Amino acid sequence: MVFSMVMSCSPNLCSLPRSRMVLQKTIQCSSSSVSTASESVKFDLKTYWTTLIRDINQKLDEAVPVKYPNQIYEAMRYSVLAKGAKRSPPIMCVAACELFGGDRLGAYPTACALEMVHAASLIHDDLPCMDDDPTRRGMPANHTVFGVDMAILAGDALFPLGFQHIVSHTPTDLVPEDRVLQVITEIARSVGSTGMAAGQFLDLEGGPNAIDFVQEKKYGEMGECSAVCGGILGGASDDEIQHLRKYGRAVGVLYRVVDDILQAKENDDKTEGKKKKGKSYVSVYGVEKAMEVAEDLRTQAKRELDGFEKYGDKVMPLYSFVDYAADRGFTIDTQV
């Protein structure tokens, strides 16, 4: 699969009226890096992604074994190893690490921890007292299968397990100890009271004016944290980390905005029953404005990568993630 497939529009987006086809603009990796843009056409993101999913799935299976108390671990595994999980946070982490010459074997423990944290956040988001969603990726949500009490415990257990996994499994010959500490600090910041938790709070309690903050904190934080952790592991400079921070945040929000656009299109001709809790650009501003936001986010994300041209082809995965987030040009085989 070549990158040209990533550049093609999703069938759902393509079926929108032309007046709303904001995402159908010509794709360029950046306005100032023509050579990088032309090279990106040759990059096979699907193969890269699928190969990493295989490794990460195996390592997650090993990281969360069933042991006493069995029911908590079964609930943890249900979400961590869920069908349909694209492993976007761990793959972005690995790609950012490799950009700066890091070894993916040194990034895998953090990559797995990011997926544990991501799964835990989704378990809690789906709870009746939060977003009140009985399904996740077309399957029953964790609390639907195991009950609210067990779902809360499973999420609570996954957060610290992620930190423990980083400390116990990161090879010291590949990653210096100070970088491991920086990664743990970054993840703790991301999920804490000024990060994802703040986003969830304002999603529940804030007015429509809080939409930008909600999207950045609830969805952008995971992308930001994933890119930054990979950069830290690979030895990126402070300035490069700041560019990765802005890049990851933009990609995280972009992915969510496009999800909401596609869902709105799917529901256009349907009568919705129970309205989900939660704010989105679509629910606050409508599909047309949301598509403009998505195009702006695509531009912002690519702009942050302009300074990484010196790393050559190693920046290609990060560039192509942006267009995949916007266009969904191919399907990821998550069960490899």
Side-chain angles (χ1 to χ4, degrees):
M1 208 298 300
V2 293
F3 185 45
S4 59
M5 287 185 66
V6 182
M7 297 170 68
S8 65
C9 179
S10 153
N12 288 333
L13 283 178
C14 285
S15 62
L16 289 171
R18 286 204 170 271
S19 62
R20 294 158 70 181
M21 291 286 287
V22 180
L23 295 184
Q24 283 299 93
K25 296 179 180 179
T26 301
I27 295 171
Q28 294 180 341
C29 282
S30 75
S31 57
S32 61
S33 53
V34 178
S35 62
T36 306
S38 62
E39 285 296 317
S40 71
V41 178
K42 303 174 185 177
F43 183 72
D44 187 350
L45 177 63
K46 184 174 182 178
T47 296
Y48 178 85
W49 201 318
T50 303
T51 299
L52 284 175
I53 282 181
R54 183 184 300 110
D55 291 347
I56 290 165
N57 282 349
Q58 178 183 340
K59 292 183 180 301
L60 284 170
D61 185 41
E62 296 167 355
V64 192
V66 175
K67 53 186 177 182
Y68 183 83
N70 290 30
Q71 196 169 357
I72 293 180
Y73 280 94
E74 287 167 359
M76 292 161 67
R77 285 175 62 84
Y78 179 82
S79 292
V80 169
L81 302 176
K83 294 180 180 179
K86 295 182 178 68
R87 311 297 183 213
S88 301
I91 289 171
M92 184 179 288
C93 172
V94 171
C97 177
E98 292 184 325
L99 170 62
F100 302 100
D103 189 322
R104 65 175 57 178
L105 295 179
Y108 277 154
T110 296
C112 288
L114 287 167
E115 189 64 25
M116 293 177 200
V117 167
H118 187 218
S121 72
L122 296 180
I123 292 172
H124 286 173
D125 281 358
D126 290 340
L127 292 170
C129 61
M130 296 292 179
D131 292 352
D132 193 15
D133 199 331
T135 63
R136 169 66 58 180
R137 303 187 186 105
M139 300 291 289
N142 196 291
H143 69 272
T144 304
V145 177
F146 296 95
V148 171
D149 51 356
M150 200 56 59
I152 292 173
L153 291 174
D156 287 348
L158 281 169
F159 282 117
L161 179 60
F163 294 119
Q164 180 184 348
H165 190 74
I166 293 171
V167 173
S168 61
H169 285 74
T170 302
T172 55
D173 59 326
L174 295 178
V175 182
E177 203 172 273
D178 64 314
R179 294 183 191 175
V180 174
L181 292 175
Q182 289 178 59
V183 162
I184 291 173
T185 301
E186 179 64 25
I187 297 175
R189 180 207 61 76
S190 178
V191 302
S193 57
T194 61
M196 292 162 64
Q200 182 64 43
F201 168 73
L202 279 179
D203 200 17
L204 294 170
E205 304 294 338
N209 291 336
I211 181 63
D212 289 332
F213 186 88
V214 169
Q215 295 287 306
E216 285 190 10
K217 292 297 181 180
K218 192 171 178 180
Y219 306 111
E221 280 286 350
M222 197 72 242
E224 176 181 338
C225 181
S226 301
V228 167
C229 284
I232 292 171
L233 293 168
S237 68
D238 290 345
D239 182 63
E240 289 169 331
I241 290 295
Q242 290 309 309
H243 284 291
L244 286 175
R245 191 174 295 286
K246 294 174 185 177
Y247 161 84
R249 186 186 313 151
V251 174
V253 178
L254 171 61
Y255 201 98
R256 182 61 197 187
V257 171
V258 173
D259 272 354
D260 291 335
I261 292 169
L262 295 175
Q263 173 126 33
K265 178 65 179 74
E266 186 179 329
N267 292 336
D268 264 352
D269 301 321
K270 297 178 182 177
T271 302
E272 288 189 74
K274 182 180 177 182
K275 284 276 187 182
K276 291 181 184 179
K277 300 177 185 177
K279 300 175 182 64
S280 70
Y281 283 108
V282 171
S283 66
V284 174
Y285 298 120
V287 170
E288 187 170 350
K289 175 62 176 177
M291 294 185 79
E292 293 174 4
V293 169
E295 187 60 32
D296 287 343
L297 288 166
R298 189 200 316 240
T299 301
Q300 291 171 29
K302 290 183 176 180
R303 186 184 304 124
E304 297 302 328
L305 296 178
D306 282 350
F308 297 137
E309 299 166 35
K310 60 185 178 183
Y311 294 109
D313 291 347
K314 290 180 180 179
V315 76
M316 288 302 102
L318 295 183
Y319 266 120
S320 42
F321 285 163
V322 181
D323 290 322
Y324 176 79
D327 298 329
R328 312 300 165 87
F330 59 84
T331 301
I332 300 290
D333 182 4
T334 60
Q335 300 300 305
V336 292

